[in-house]
Amino acid sequence: MTGESSMSPLASFNRLAHETFSSILLSLSQIRSSKTFFHAFKSMPAPEDILTRISLWWEQARAVVVVPVFKFLVALCLIMSVMYFIEMLYMGVVVAYVNLFKRKPEKVYKWEAMEDDDVECSSESFPMVLVQIPMYNEKEVCEQSISAACRISWPLNRIIIQVLDDSTDPASKELVRQECERWSREGVNITFEIRDNRNGYKAGALREGMKHSYVKQCDYIAIFDADFQPDPDFLHRTVPFLIHNPKLALVQGRWEFVNADQCMMTRLQEMSLSYHFTVEQQVGSSTFAFFGFNGTAGVWRISALNESGGWNDQTTVEDMDVAVRATLRGWKLLYIDDLKVKSELPCSFNALRSQQHRWTCGPANLFRKMAGQIIRSENVSLGKKLYMLYSFFFMRKVVAHILTFCFYCVILPATVLFPEVTVPKWAAFYLPALITLFIAIGKPRSIYLLVFWVLFENAMSMLRTKALVMGLFETGRVQEWVVTEKLGDGLKTKLSSQVHNEHHVRFRDRVHLLELLHGVYLLFCGCYDIIYGKNTLYLYVYLLLQSTAFFVVGFGFVGK
């Protein structure tokens, strides 16, 4: 066989592209001479001919380049889907084992109750505990958090409440100072510490707080963010673990949300965070005694904290950072699932976006910086290294975000435009359905919201993927830290006022263009599937619903 019929598709594609553009360039070069302008104009290929050539060129490019690349990306996403499903299945099995065999922390670690006969008096048998409360313009919640910390049941001469106020708002700073003075007059050992800068943000404040002379007499340090309200028995439930288990560095409690029922957005947040605590934190604690410290509602052994290098502001997740470094030093971490501490979820969509940016960008940036140290560590077993690098960082902090956005929001919708590329039903429907049901374990009462949760999480995946890229490549807003807005006790009253004020927010400050453009893309794919698709998977139903979710998020019609 000879001639064009013997050419490979790639060679044919190159020849066609070369002939098309050479013809156009030759005609344009002839136009440069004014004398031959009319002749050149006559000799130019007709528009229909150019369009035909471009159409043929696109068909060749589609067959030779686009479709093979697209098939490769689909195959890659299928592999990641299976990997992520296996990870979820593994965590589900661990949680089932822990609950079935009642492997509570009290059975795994030694724990003995503290003698509380003389809690209100002095007791030298109680260790010295420092309670840190970092704040930044927290006038809405400062009173309730300081009050909850001061009511913790512990001998008065064996506890120090340290309020670290970085506020730039004079009214907030004065309110915090007055609250500290009020509790000081009632006999509580409370200190009010300020600094003249915000270097290092929360990590910098905690680090400065540790430099005071009175901290040297303390054995343990409990940390609560400004919106957290620990129960009076918090230290009685946590400190005994640290006393009787010298290799334990941290005891972490679970977050409970006082405003989970405030709106749809808070219910959906509760579902995600409940799964994080019920499954992810419990699995890490039960298997390898490692998980990411949540930055609050936990008690640290000060010697372990110091040995690990203290608070470091190299990333915006100083809590996860110090947990990794402590683990590399050979320390163990413990999570207690039934130790609940009240806190508050963001009600404002912009506040949620800022929080999610930091929670995604920070771990990715930490992975970039700490992966080498984890590999080289001599104090950590090979199994724990594999868990930290693969399960904790790679699968949950990287693959989860890439898979959600790139596969379910970009590649899967695009398959309606390329009939040559097919996605198996198990990957398009069965695996995502099973993964979603696994996540429902965290909060069974919200199972009827699963469809809304999936659509909302997919819509938020664009923001998280951008943050992931910034963290991995250390670009853009990688060090951005925006304090999450809190509303405090007067939640309903303040929400009404907030909703009224948000009507006056400028349109451009409320709209998120990239989400809107992606909503248009999904809408186009959905309509194309209805008109031209085979509709074997009824993919257009998902595409139209998901495009609606992107439009809702893009216009900022979320939250209060």
Side-chain angles (χ1 to χ4, degrees), residues 336-372:
I336 306 178
D337 191 57
D338 60 356
L339 176 62
K340 299 178 181 180
V341 182
K342 296 177 183 177
S343 63
E344 186 179 313
L345 290 165
C347 295
S348 161
F349 184 53
N350 284 335
L352 176 63
R353 286 176 64 89
S354 299
Q355 182 195 70
Q356 292 301 305
H357 170 86
R358 178 164 54 88
W359 284 4
T360 306
C361 181
N365 191 229
L366 183 64
F367 183 35
R368 168 195 172 103
K369 294 180 176 179
M370 296 296 294

Side-chain angles (χ1 to χ4, degrees), residues 359-387:
W359 284 4
T360 306
C361 181
N365 191 229
L366 183 64
F367 183 35
R368 168 195 172 103
K369 294 180 176 179
M370 296 296 294
Q373 295 185 39
I374 295 173
I375 294 173
R376 294 189 299 270
S377 176
E378 298 179 355
N379 297 320
V380 179
S381 66
L382 181 62
K384 183 176 285 192
K385 287 181 182 180
L386 182 63
Y387 175 80

Side-chain angles (χ1 to χ4, degrees), residues 26-64:
L26 178 62
S27 300
L28 291 176
S29 65
Q30 292 175 340
I31 293 177
R32 294 177 182 175
S33 172
S34 59
K35 294 180 180 179
T36 60
F37 175 78
F38 183 73
H39 176 71
F41 182 78
K42 290 174 62 178
S43 65
M44 282 186 67
E48 294 82 0
D49 187 42
I50 294 176
L51 290 176
T52 301
R53 284 178 177 271
I54 291 175
S55 176
L56 290 172
W57 178 81
W58 163 246
E59 290 300 324
Q60 290 284 348
R62 175 190 175 105
V64 176

